[in-house]
């Protein structure tokens, strides 16, 4: 209990970017992440902190916190590591049954469809609909959300001319997986 001694009552709350998607699904989650990371950064005083692109909203929260609080470190975003079939590597994958594991690459399929539609000049709404359709075609998948956001604010975006990120969350039984892919690169 060294990190949270008796009477601990200070929290780091990053507003805006935490209002949407994962922040809405998991209230208080980003408050905990921001607080513990802030404490660790204060203890260790690192020059850099590495975060995975798979957790893109967490990355946006960290970038905003570091900028807003004038913290002297760089947030380095590490590309998502994927299995051969495209599934983003995650500790949560170990909770998938064999059947669910076989169905899970539907997230990557939906994202790659989104990226190719973006290359073909499709608009954001058409891409959102298609991502949802791809996921719903997998009988074992339950779609939480599939949308396109600004990667800094996590607000839904209609414009694909600037920074845009396709994001989705899908449940397989009790296991909830998230993934994302930049559309503007």
């Amino acid at each position: 209990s060294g990190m949270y001694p008796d009477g601990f009552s200070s929290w780091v709350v990053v507003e805006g970017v935490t209002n949407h998607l994962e922040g809405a699904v998991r209230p208080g989650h980003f408050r905990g992440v921001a607080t513990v990371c802030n404490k660790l950064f204060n203890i260790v005083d690192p020059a850099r902190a590495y975060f995975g692109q798979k957790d893109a909203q967490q990355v946006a929260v960290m970038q905003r916190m570091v900028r807003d609080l004038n913290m002297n470190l760089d947030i380095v975003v590490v590309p998502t590591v994927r299995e051969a079939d495209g599934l983003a590597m995650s500790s949560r994958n170990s909770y998938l049954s064999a059947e669910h594991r076989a169905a899970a690459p539907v997230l990557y399929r939906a994202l790659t469809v989104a990226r190719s539609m973006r290359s073909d000049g499709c608009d954001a709404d058409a891409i959102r609909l298609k991502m949802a359709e791809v996921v719903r075609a997998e009988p074992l998948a339950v779609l939480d959300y599939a949308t396109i956001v600004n990667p800094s604010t996590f607000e839904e975006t209609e414009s694909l001319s600037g920074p845009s990120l396709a994001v989705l969350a899908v449940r397989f039984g009790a296991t909830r997986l998230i993934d994302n892919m930049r559309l503007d690169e």
Side-chain angles (χ1 to χ4, degrees), residues 10-143:
S10 301
W11 299 96
V12 177
V13 178
V14 180
E15 297 190 333
V17 65
T18 59
N19 296 349
H20 318 286
L21 303 181
E22 292 305 295
V25 173
R26 303 168 72 188
H29 170 69
F30 288 122
R31 182 184 86 154
V33 170
T35 301
V36 76
C37 287
N38 198 315
K39 287 176 69 87
L40 288 168
F41 296 159
N42 286 334
I43 293 163
V44 176
D45 194 25
R48 283 176 223 79
Y50 295 82
F51 288 87
Q53 170 65 29
K54 185 185 80 69
D55 298 302
Q57 193 167 9
Q58 177 173 277
V59 165
V61 170
M62 289 296 109
Q63 290 170 329
R64 171 56 57 192
M65 178 181 80
V66 164
R67 197 163 48 238
D68 287 355
L69 300 182
N70 302 97
M71 299 173 85
N72 190 25
L73 81 151
D74 292 325
I75 299 296
V76 181
V77 186
V78 181
T80 300
V81 180
R82 297 184 180 280
E83 303 283 359
D85 59 9
L87 181 64
M89 286 193 181
S90 167
S91 56
R92 290 186 188 179
N93 296 353
S94 63
Y95 300 119
L96 296 169
S97 68
E99 268 191 312
H100 286 152
R101 174 59 187 85
V106 72
L107 281 86
Y108 185 66
R109 281 204 308 279
L111 292 171
T112 52
V113 165
R115 180 175 270 174
S116 68
M117 288 178 72
R118 165 69 183 88
S119 302
D120 293 343
C122 297
D123 69 22
D125 281 337
I127 297 172
R128 282 186 187 99
L129 287 169
K130 186 64 178 179
M131 285 169 63
E133 186 184 307
V134 169
V135 173
R136 291 195 178 108
E138 170 48 65
L140 297 176
V142 177
L143 181 66

